[in-house]
Amino acid sequence: MKHTIVMTGASRGIGRAAAEHILRRSPDVHLLVVARGSSGARLAAELATGGHTVSYVPADLGSLDSVRRAATEIRDRLDRGDLPPLRGFVGNAGIQYTNALTEGADGFEATFTVNVLANHLFVRLLQDRFAAPARMVITVSDTHFGDFRHNLGMVPGPAWTSPDTLARTGAFTRPDTPAGGRTAYSTSKLAAIYLVHAYARRLPAGIDAVAYNPGFVPGTGLARNAGPVSRFAMRRIMPVMTLTPFATGRDAAGRYLADIVLGTTRAPTGSYVDRGRVDRSSDESYDPRREDELWEAVERFRAYASER
């Protein structure tokens, strides 16, 4: 039966590979990609090659007003019957800055806006349009463990504090440095896992929420805001690591994501999937008090954004 999957972050890297796998393996999917400006039309046309059904909605994930407009357009298209029933949302887009001082359009820190608030807004605005059984998959990161085994010391671990502080610039030590930006990234991914747990508890039966960790995947564009040396290393040197157990190739990471979206990888709601298998996320990620505090904060933030 024809159905819709909405996907962010499909233009490059893991997301592009996952989109291609989803379309190749599931001809009943209408893939709706969310992308910035005119790039969405180009992306949809490229993915539609071979007779696949792909459309797009423009959005800047760094602006909650833009995300809200995109979600509203998706709702309207579903209500008019222009899209088949909604059965999937893939929040794959992510960003990492070279500092923790970059402010988004709504006054929130930019990493937190893209990696946490944009996904949350899509989930909350679309949740009553899902046709069960449905699945939401949020791409997270094993940097949330904060140990050498999971990220070889390349990214500092999360530094959790009040969500009201995390959502604003300057929340971390040395916020003007790349280390501050990386801490903002790992902390945002921990926040995303808390929200997946919250969705699993709060969303109606038949709508599953899963966190997906692709592992370290060089060459995805995640470091596009880094300095020239780091960008060169990620593009030219780090890809060699995919020949070792310490990194995942782009196509393999995309395939693992597609497996979760399509249900090939069986994962109960609230799961953390490490590449191709359900696993346990960090001990820190199972904290109901933090989860509730974060939920209250992001609900307040999305209401605030709609009133501006």
Side-chain angles (χ1 to χ4, degrees), residues 13-19 21-22 25 212 248-259:
I14 298 168
R16 180 60 179 261
H21 277 284
I22 290 168
R25 292 161 51 187
Y212 164 60
T248 311
R250 184 188 76 102
D251 188 69
R255 185 178 71 251
Y256 290 139
L257 177 53
D259 286 343

Side-chain angles (χ1 to χ4, degrees), residues 6-19:
V6 175
M7 185 174 190
T8 71
S11 60
R12 58 166 68 88
I14 298 168
R16 180 60 179 261

Side-chain angles (χ1 to χ4, degrees), residues 169-251:
T169 58
F172 307 102
T173 303
R174 298 165 60 209
D176 58 334
T177 67
R182 293 179 188 126
T183 304
Y185 176 79
S186 62
T187 306
S188 75
K189 293 303 185 178
L190 175 60
I193 295 173
Y194 285 136
L195 287 179
V196 166
H197 294 164
Y199 299 145
R201 292 201 293 121
R202 289 173 166 86
L203 294 182
I207 304 176
D208 293 345
V210 177
Y212 164 60
N213 167 48
F216 173 54
V217 186
T220 62
L222 180 65
R224 56 189 175 275
N225 291 310
V229 174
S230 294
R231 291 200 306 272
F232 176 81
M234 286 295 287
R235 285 198 312 267
R236 304 297 183 187
I237 299 173
M238 294 298 186
V240 177
M241 292 183 66
T242 60
L243 301 175
T244 75
F246 298 109
T248 311
R250 184 188 76 102
D251 188 69

Side-chain angles (χ1 to χ4, degrees), residues 100-146:
L101 296 174
T102 304
E103 189 173 89
D106 305 275
F108 300 111
E109 193 272 324
T111 313
F112 194 86
T113 299
V114 174
N115 296 357
V116 181
L117 293 180
N119 282 332
H120 184 66
L121 199 52
F122 271 122
V123 168
R124 295 291 277 146
L125 291 177
L126 295 178
Q127 73 175 64
D128 64 349
R129 294 301 193 274
F130 278 98
R135 172 167 284 191
M136 293 182 287
V137 183
I138 308 297
T139 299
V140 295
S141 168
D142 53 8
T143 60
H144 86 278
F145 281 91

Side-chain angles (χ1 to χ4, degrees), residues 236-291:
R236 304 297 183 187
I237 299 173
M238 294 298 186
V240 177
M241 292 183 66
T242 60
L243 301 175
T244 75
F246 298 109
T248 311
R250 184 188 76 102
D251 188 69
R255 185 178 71 251
Y256 290 139
L257 177 53
D259 286 343
I260 302 168
V261 174
L262 297 176
T264 305
T265 296
R266 298 186 179 276
T269 189
S271 294
Y272 174 82
V273 179
D274 181 7
R275 282 149 278 202
R277 62 188 180 90
V278 175
D279 203 351
R280 183 176 171 83
S281 51
S282 70
D283 290 344
E284 186 180 9
S285 70
Y286 299 95
D287 187 324
R289 180 184 58 81
R290 287 185 181 179
E291 179 190 313

Side-chain angles (χ1 to χ4, degrees), residues 64-65 68 106 121 301-308:
L64 297 185
D65 285 343
R68 186 178 297 276
D106 305 275
L121 199 52
F301 297 156
R302 77 181 182 97
Y304 163 78
S306 69
E307 293 168 358
R308 295 178 75 239

